Amino acid sequence: DPTASASARGYCSQQPAAHTNLQIVRANNLLLTRIEHNCPYGLTGCKDVVIYNHGFPDSSIVPTAAQDFAAASTVGAGWPEESYFSSRLPRKWCEYIIKQLANTAFVAFNTRGVPGSSSSADPETVETAPDDFEKKTLTGDLEDISAIAALMRLHCPDARISVCGMSTGAFLALAFAARPDFHPQGGIASCFVLACVEDIPSSASLDFSEEQRAAFDSD
């Protein structure tokens, strides 16, 4: 319940200097998702939501974030220095956006098949790609963004939802913004990206080829 007390939601007792609240959840019981907000009225009071999409191959959150966060909350420990992010860019974007915009939530997640968001792999095993990694498709990644957007619309009914990303995540953010059929109720407010591919139409062929899938099976 996003309106419950901070302790009931399992937030860390030691917060950064700029007061924020953190949740580590799983969207659709699969997608490892990090939600940080600075709204004093709770998550439901947020007026803006920014959803970050990571590149490929990359991730947004350390795959053991859910277990690590739960363990830290149990003993009342603070957040680790990297705040459960696996990459520097989403961490810095989160820090900046949370500092600059009031009543805002920054959301980062690992797409399906990426360690931490896999139904077939131990999150402790990050050296080997999960079996479902080779089944990734751009459409599947768009469905993942849609699931995150729907989750945030549920918890932040009055918020403007924006999407952003880097590299492949930038392409996905743009593709998602251009597909109203994937949008949550209320639509998408804006999209901003970094290091996006130049020729988006031709990039639609970035899914694994049959040769690449055969290489997976031979390894």
Side-chain angles (χ1 to χ4, degrees), residues 149 153 159-163 176-177 180 182-190:
R153 174 59 71 215
R160 296 179 293 262
I161 297 179
S162 299
V163 291
F176 177 79
F182 280 108
H183 294 178
Q185 184 177 2
I188 296 300
S190 66

Side-chain angles (χ1 to χ4, degrees), residues 52-169:
Y52 172 80
N53 298 275
H54 63 76
F56 177 86
D58 196 4
S59 63
S60 295
I61 314 166
V62 294
T64 58
Q67 301 92 306
D68 297 344
F69 180 68
S73 300
T74 299
V75 300
W79 307 353
E81 182 179 359
E82 78 283 355
S83 300
Y84 305 104
F85 284 112
S86 58
S87 299
R88 187 172 185 270
L89 180 67
R91 176 166 62 88
K92 299 310 261 183
W93 268 8
C94 179
E95 290 174 358
Y96 182 81
I97 289 171
I98 289 291
K99 181 179 179 180
Q100 295 295 322
L101 300 177
N103 302 321
T104 296
F106 185 91
V107 184
F109 69 103
N110 292 357
T111 57
R112 71 180 77 182
V114 171
S117 292
S118 170
S119 59
S120 64
D122 184 340
E124 297 281 358
T125 307
V126 297
E127 294 81 7
T128 304
D131 292 340
D132 41 1
F133 178 78
E134 65 180 272
K135 299 183 177 73
K136 287 178 66 64
T137 64
L138 293 176
T139 298
D141 285 348
L142 290 178
E143 291 171 349
D144 290 348
I145 303 173
S146 182
I148 300 298
L151 175 69
M152 297 314 298
R153 174 59 71 215
L154 176 66
H155 290 318
C156 308
D158 299 323
R160 296 179 293 262
I161 297 179
S162 299
V163 291
C164 65
M166 177 184 180
S167 187
T168 304

Side-chain angles (χ1 to χ4, degrees), residues 138 170-172 174-175 193 196-206:
L138 293 176
F171 165 75
L172 289 168
L174 280 173
V193 300
C196 188
V197 294
E198 181 177 3
D199 187 353
I200 291 180
S202 67
S203 298
S205 62
L206 289 177

